[in-house]
Amino acid sequence: MTNLNVKVAVFLLAFLTLSCEREEIEIEKPAAVEKMVLEPLNKAALKPIGTGVMMQAFYWDVPSGGTWWNTIKNKVSAWSNAGVDAIWLPPVSKAQNGKFSMGYDPFDYYDFGQYNQMGSTETRFGSKTELEQLINSAHANQLSVIADIVINHNSGGDSEFNIFKNSNTYTKYTPKSNLFNRTQYDFHPNDYHNNDSGVFGGFADLCHHKSYVQDWLWKKSNSVAKYYKNTMKFDGWRFDYVKGFEPWIARDWKNAVGGFSVGEYWDGNAATLQWWTDQAQMSAFDFACYYKMRDAFQGNNLNALQGDMLWKRNASRAVTFVTNHDTDEIQINKLLAYAYILTHEGYPALFYKDYEDWLDKNALNNLIWIHNNLAAGNTSNLYTDTDEYIARRNGNASKIGLIVYINISNSYKERWIQTNWSNTRIKDYTGRSSWEPVTQGDKWVKIQVPPNSYTVWSIK
C-alpha cells in the first residue's frame, strides 16, 4: 500500500469513528476522498468573470517594502467566499522608481522583482516568486487575475542623441531581462510618424504602429502579452490610459491571447464610451455612470441617475465602479452608490480601501450576495425624484430579480410600486426593514426605506 493510500485509509477510519452515533453513514469512495483532499483547484475551476464582482486589489501608494503581494494573497480566500470572481492587480513589472513606484512608469516588462535594476530587486509590491504565489493562490480560490497593462508610455531609459528631435532623449532601453530593448525608433517622433493619439506625463511615448513594438507587445511567442498569459498565468487585462493609442491596439492584444479585457477610457460621455468599446471589442469602465453617481450621491440629487450611462447602452461591456485609485469624489452616501451598482446591470468593481477600511464590510458582503443571487434581467425605473430612486431588475431564468429603493433624505419613505409577482410574499434582503408584505393580484405592493439608506426587495 502506498503512503497516499495509507493516508486515505486513516482519513476514512477517523471519519467512521467520529460518526459512529449517526444512524446512517455515507462513505465516499477512496478515490473521491483522495481527490477532494489532495488536489488543489485548477484554472478550469475559475468562476466565470461577470458572475460575481471584481476587486481592485490595491490603492494609490500601498505600503512599500515588498509586502503587498503577500498581503493580497492572505485575502483572496475571504474575497472569493464573499462572492468576488476576479482581482485586478497594479502594474507588476519594474518601473523607473523601482521599489517606490506604483508601476505606471514601466521600464522592464519582464522584471517582476527578480533583477537588480532601477535601484531595487523587488518591485514596490514584492518579488516575482511572491507574485507567482499570489496568482496561484487566487486560482486555487477560483479567482481570475487581471493584469494592469501600461503600454502607452515608458520611463527610465538612458539618454541618446535622437535624430528625430536633434537633441538627446531618454529613449534607450536596455533592461536586464534583455527582452524588448528599445531605442528612439520605437517612440514618437520616429521614421514612421510624429505622434499617435496622445502622450502622458511627458514620458517616452511608444509607437504601436512599428512592427517591432507590435511583435514585442503581443505578436511574438515570448511577447509581453503571451508571457503574461502563458508563463505568469494572468487571465485578463486592464488597459491603462487607452486614450493614448487607437482602439485596435488593445483589440489586437486581446485577440492574440484572449481573456477578459477592460479599458480605462476616461470620458463621461456614454456615447463615446460605447464607440470605444465597439472599436476595441472589449469592456470599458463606465465613467458616465461614475459621474452621474457623483452628481446624484455627492450632489444630493438622485434625478442624475436618469442620465445616460454605458451600462444602459450595453451592459455586457460596462464595468461599473464607485471609485478607484485615481478617483474618490463620492465621499457621502458612498454605500448607497454601491447599492446602486451592485443591484444594476454591468460588471461591478469594488475598491480595496472601501471594502477593507472605509465602509461597512458586512453591508458590502450583503450587497455582493444580492448581486450574485438576485440581480438579473433588464432594468425598469419605477420612481425617481431628488431624494428617492426605485428600480426593478426583471429577472431571468436563473435569478428572480429584485427591487432596489434608495433614499438620501432624512426621513422614512414609503411607496406603492409594481413588482413582477402576484400574491407573493416579499422581504427586504438588507435587513433594514422588517416588513414582509404580500403583493396584490395586480402585482402592486407598498415598500419602505429608512432615512439615508436603501432596501432591496425580492421573493421571500
Side-chain angles (χ1 to χ4, degrees):
M1 182 178 290
T2 66
N3 289 337
L4 182 60
N5 289 330
V6 170
K7 291 179 181 177
V8 172
V10 171
F11 174 86
L12 288 173
L13 180 61
F15 179 83
L16 291 171
T17 303
L18 291 172
S19 306
C20 63
E21 296 182 1
R22 295 178 58 185
E23 294 182 1
E24 296 181 4
I25 300 175
E26 294 183 4
I27 304 176
E28 294 186 6
K29 296 179 181 179
V33 174
E34 185 174 312
K35 181 176 182 180
M36 177 184 68
V37 174
L38 299 176
E39 290 188 9
L41 293 168
N42 54 43
K43 291 192 67 175
L46 297 184
K47 303 175 187 179
I49 292 182
T51 57
V53 301
M54 179 196 303
M55 176 68 74
Q56 180 178 353
F58 66 100
Y59 55 93
W60 198 257
D61 284 346
V62 302
S64 59
T67 62
W68 193 248
W69 296 147
N70 287 334
T71 297
I72 298 304
K73 184 179 69 173
N74 292 331
K75 295 182 181 294
V76 293
S77 176
W79 289 351
S80 181
N81 290 336
V84 172
D85 62 24
I87 59 172
W88 158 24
L89 300 185
V92 296
S93 64
K94 186 69 60 66
Q96 179 180 8
N97 288 320
K99 64 181 179 180
F100 302 108
S101 176
M102 284 296 297
Y104 290 94
D105 51 338
F107 171 72
D108 186 345
Y109 286 102
Y110 297 84
D111 180 358
F112 307 99
Q114 74 271 33
Y115 297 109
N116 186 358
Q117 57 184 340
M118 297 293 118
S120 68
T121 298
E122 291 190 346
T123 68
R124 183 187 192 97
F125 314 113
S127 67
K128 179 182 180 182
T129 298
E130 290 165 341
L131 172 61
E132 291 171 328
Q133 291 171 346
L134 164 58
I135 294 172
N136 289 337
S137 181
H139 288 160
N141 284 280
Q142 300 179 282
L143 300 180
S144 296
V145 184
I146 298 171
D148 204 322
I149 300 301
V150 185
I151 56 173
N152 175 73
H153 52 271
N154 290 166
S155 186
D158 293 326
S159 177
E160 63 176 346
F161 182 76
N162 191 316
I163 62 173
F164 306 107
K165 286 194 170 184
N166 198 32
S167 63
N168 276 46
T169 56
Y170 293 95
T171 48
K172 185 178 181 180
Y173 286 75
T174 53
K176 285 197 173 180
S177 68
N178 199 32
L179 299 170
F180 197 13
N181 297 331
R182 284 144 279 165
T183 69
Q184 59 191 281
Y185 291 91
D186 306 311
F187 299 95
H188 295 116
N190 56 44
D191 54 342
Y192 184 88
H193 59 185
N194 288 333
N195 59 276
D196 58 2
S197 298
V199 297
F200 181 82
F203 292 123
D205 189 57
L206 271 174
C207 178
H208 305 88
H209 292 79
K210 298 299 287 285
S211 58
Y212 177 84
V213 173
Q214 293 178 21
D215 286 345
W216 275 107
L217 285 182
W218 68 82
K219 289 184 175 180
K220 291 166 61 76
S221 61
N222 63 339
S223 63
V224 177
K226 291 174 182 175
Y227 193 92
Y228 279 44
K229 179 70 179 293
N230 300 327
T231 301
M232 299 304 294
K233 306 301 181 183
F234 280 100
D235 309 290
W237 324 103
R238 180 265 184 187
F239 291 93
D240 179 67
Y241 189 61
V242 296
K243 279 189 173 182
F245 46 88
E246 293 92 333
W248 64 264
I249 294 160
R251 183 191 67 219
D252 282 8
W253 173 300
K254 184 203 71 170
N255 289 343
V257 292
F260 173 81
S261 302
V262 57
E264 183 209 28
Y265 197 95
W266 198 321
D267 197 298
N269 187 299
T272 302
L273 293 173
Q274 183 182 25
W275 164 82
W276 189 86
T277 60
D278 289 346
Q279 294 296 310
Q281 298 177 10
M282 64 177 61
S283 297
F285 288 100
D286 195 345
F287 278 93
C289 176
Y290 167 77
Y291 284 116
K292 295 298 186 297
M293 289 195 300
R294 180 199 63 182
D295 296 341
F297 296 110
Q298 186 75 14
N300 290 304
N301 185 357
L302 295 186
N303 287 305
L305 298 177
Q306 297 282 63
D308 196 8
M309 305 177 193
L310 178 59
W311 74 258
K312 297 181 182 182
R313 290 170 169 261
N314 189 346
S316 67
R317 284 183 170 165
V319 176
T320 55
F321 66 102
V322 174
T323 193
N324 60 32
H325 61 293
D326 288 323
T327 67
D328 198 25
E329 296 183 74
I330 302 175
Q331 293 294 329
I332 62 173
N333 298 320
K334 183 180 275 191
L335 188 58
L336 277 64
Y338 274 107
Y340 180 83
I341 68 168
L342 286 162
T343 56
H344 283 65
E345 295 169 70
Y347 178 35
L350 300 174
F351 181 51
Y352 179 95
K353 292 290 280 186
D354 285 342
Y355 185 81
E356 292 291 341
D357 298 327
W358 292 341
L359 299 180
D360 183 341
K361 184 182 290 188
N362 290 329
L364 286 172
N365 283 341
N366 170 249
L367 285 169
I368 296 170
W369 185 93
I370 287 169
H371 172 270
N372 293 357
N373 292 277
L374 300 176
N378 58 14
T379 304
S380 300
N381 180 254
L382 303 182
Y383 182 84
T384 304
D385 65 17
T386 302
D387 296 329
E388 298 173 70
Y389 174 85
I390 308 175
R392 184 179 69 222
R393 292 294 300 278
N394 292 305
N396 59 23
S398 60
K399 299 179 186 178
I400 56 178
L402 57 81
I403 295 163
V404 58
Y405 193 172
I406 299 174
N407 173 22
I408 61 172
S409 77
N410 294 321
S411 60
Y412 265 87
K413 297 290 184 180
E414 299 174 0
R415 291 281 171 190
W416 281 92
I417 52 92
Q418 189 172 33
T419 72
N420 287 326
W421 314 298
S422 299
N423 305 311
T424 303
R425 187 174 298 279
I426 65 172
K427 62 174 282 187
D428 166 35
Y429 275 83
T430 73
R432 287 169 164 76
S433 172
S434 60
W435 284 11
E436 292 189 359
V438 177
T439 64
Q440 299 180 153
D442 59 2
K443 303 180 182 179
W444 285 79
V445 72
K446 182 189 280 188
I447 58 175
Q448 68 170 186
V449 63
N452 299 298
S453 190
Y454 59 91
T455 48
V456 181
W457 303 81
S458 192
I459 295 175
K460 183 177 178 182

